[in-house]
Amino acid sequence: MKTRSAYLRSPWQCELREVDLPDDVPDGYALIRVEACGICGTDLSNAESQLEDWQPFGHEIAGVIDKLGTHAGGLKIGDKVVLESASYCGKCELCRSGRVDLCNKAPHFWNAGPSLGFSDYLLAPVCGIVPYEGMTPETACLAEPAGVAYDMVKTAEIEHGNRVCVIGPGPIGLMAIPIALRSGADQVVCIGRPGNRARLEAAAKLGAETLAADRPWTEYEELRGRFDRVLLTAPVQTIPEAIPLLAYGGILSYIGIGTGSGMIRFDANDFHYRKLQLRASFASPALYYPIVLKMLKSGAIPADTIISHRLPLNEIGRAMKLCREDKGETVKVVVTP
């Protein structure tokens, strides 16, 4: 069978292709009819400089099972589902020792066929398929980035009464706000750039105090040493600037990747004597879909506050351009075939 699929190449080249999928679904796999797929920050960094060759893209996926191979794992044709971006195998030494968070050995959809989330159809292994109900596909496709936000908050070990700073009001930072508040944070401050108007407005709706920082954070004396936890969703190069915001004994959890060199420098003596911690959050395998799907369904993570634009697949180029050029008004773009 044939399907449309969006392909990406650096710098900022995007095109729709017609590609072939097998008529017979392989054992342990399902054919998914895509209903919604969100644009992720990694899609944008890949578009900027990471992809020398054309590749399909899109991994924040909600869809419907159209066909099933054998060994379907209890799934049924017609089930509404979201797809884990990575899964654990359940068989290796790490898994059997209870460290499923360190295993990424299960099959995944990234190399299952010539199409990914920005397509009409794709193949996915049943081990990474999670059924959902009671919400729109646009809301459900937020499960992947919401799981990333949940992992970042969990990594920070937020305790009741903590003062929390979220740096970067992108979709993941925004979803971290209600998760942090429900984890016991007494106060959440969200820092963004002056041009992030729509995103900072969304942060305020989600319960955060906001700051449109027009100079380095370290120049805001009222922020230095103020926060028990800092959640950083900006490029790693901003970590040294974020460390001074931590209070004594504070923890900085980050998910930023960024482009170019990932090398940073900071004052290790200050870090040591103030008993600080720097922790990387990497939500792979994707462990928390059931939790965040409940939060999305209940409105604890309000999708309408996160999603700012919905565009059809044939406008994928325009969708990518919005994310690149209109950051003042664009929060989260979801593509619906």
Side-chain angles (χ1 to χ4, degrees):
M1 64 173 290
K2 294 188 179 298
T3 185
R4 294 180 302 165
S5 181
Y7 274 64
L8 189 67
R9 185 172 71 176
S10 307
W12 298 101
Q13 300 172 73
C14 183
E15 66 180 32
L16 269 180
R17 297 181 177 181
E18 187 174 77
V19 297
D20 290 310
L21 290 174
D23 292 323
D24 296 323
V25 178
D27 180 25
Y29 280 74
L31 179 69
I32 306 297
R33 175 168 56 83
V34 180
E35 291 195 309
C37 185
I39 293 179
C40 174
T42 57
D43 297 324
L44 304 179
S45 60
N46 285 339
E48 181 177 344
S49 62
Q50 304 299 309
L51 297 181
E52 293 183 2
D53 297 319
W54 289 100
Q55 291 185 18
F57 70 116
H59 60 271
E60 300 177 0
I61 304 162
V64 176
I65 295 178
D66 193 75
K67 292 182 182 179
L68 281 167
T70 55
H71 301 95
L75 296 169
K76 304 182 300 298
I77 292 174
D79 281 350
K80 286 185 169 293
V81 297
V82 290
L83 305 187
E84 294 176 342
S85 53
S87 305
Y88 60 90
C89 72
K91 301 175 182 178
C92 69
E93 184 174 312
L94 286 168
C95 287
R96 294 188 184 280
S97 298
R99 293 306 307 271
V100 297
D101 58 305
L102 299 180
C103 173
N104 277 311
K105 299 183 181 72
H108 48 74
F109 59 73
W110 293 93
N111 58 4
S115 61
L116 286 177
F118 296 122
S119 63
D120 295 305
Y121 292 90
L122 81 154
L123 288 171
V126 298
C127 64
I129 295 176
V130 182
Y132 77 89
E133 59 182 15
M135 68 192 92
T136 66
E138 293 90 341
T139 296
C141 80
L142 296 181
E144 197 279 339
V148 173
Y150 188 90
D151 187 84
M152 180 174 61
V153 172
K154 188 177 178 68
T155 298
E157 293 188 14
I158 291 174
E159 299 175 347
H160 285 272
N162 279 168
R163 299 158 298 173
V164 176
C165 179
V166 174
I167 297 175
I172 292 172
L174 291 173
M175 286 188 275
I177 293 169
I179 299 172
L181 289 169
R182 283 162 175 77
S183 299
D186 186 60
Q187 176 193 44
V188 176
V189 175
C190 182
I191 300 177
R193 297 172 179 169
N196 296 147
R197 186 194 62 80
R199 296 183 174 196
L200 288 171
E201 288 179 358
K205 288 181 182 178
L206 293 166
E209 301 172 30
T210 61
L211 171 65
D214 57 1
R215 59 187 188 275
W217 312 316
T218 50
E219 295 182 13
Y220 291 84
E221 286 298 325
E222 68 274 19
L223 298 181
R224 295 179 69 91
R226 175 176 170 181
F227 300 102
D228 305 294
R229 304 289 187 268
V230 170
L231 309 178
L232 182 70
T233 67
V236 293
Q237 290 80 5
T238 60
I239 289 175
E241 191 178 340
I243 289 174
L245 307 188
L246 287 169
Y248 187 83
I251 297 172
L252 190 158
S253 172
Y254 77 96
I255 62 165
I257 301 172
T259 57
S261 173
M263 302 297 291
I264 61 171
R265 298 177 64 185
F266 59 87
D267 186 341
N269 289 332
D270 170 73
F271 196 85
H272 171 79
Y273 287 118
R274 292 205 295 128
K275 291 191 174 182
L276 305 180
Q277 296 184 45
L278 175 63
R279 300 180 179 180
S281 167
F282 181 44
S284 184
L287 299 176
Y288 305 117
Y289 276 38
I291 295 172
V292 295
L293 282 169
K294 289 178 181 177
M295 298 186 77
L296 288 163
K297 183 177 180 178
S298 70
I301 300 176
D304 286 344
T305 302
I306 305 298
I307 300 172
S308 59
H309 295 77
R310 297 167 173 84
L311 292 171
L313 179 59
N314 60 9
E315 295 188 34
I316 182 64
R318 179 185 167 216
M320 293 289 287
K321 187 176 180 179
L322 270 173
C323 295
R324 176 190 183 188
E325 298 181 359
D326 193 9
K327 295 183 178 181
E329 298 298 326
T330 303
V331 182
K332 181 71 172 180
V333 177
V334 171
V335 173
T336 55

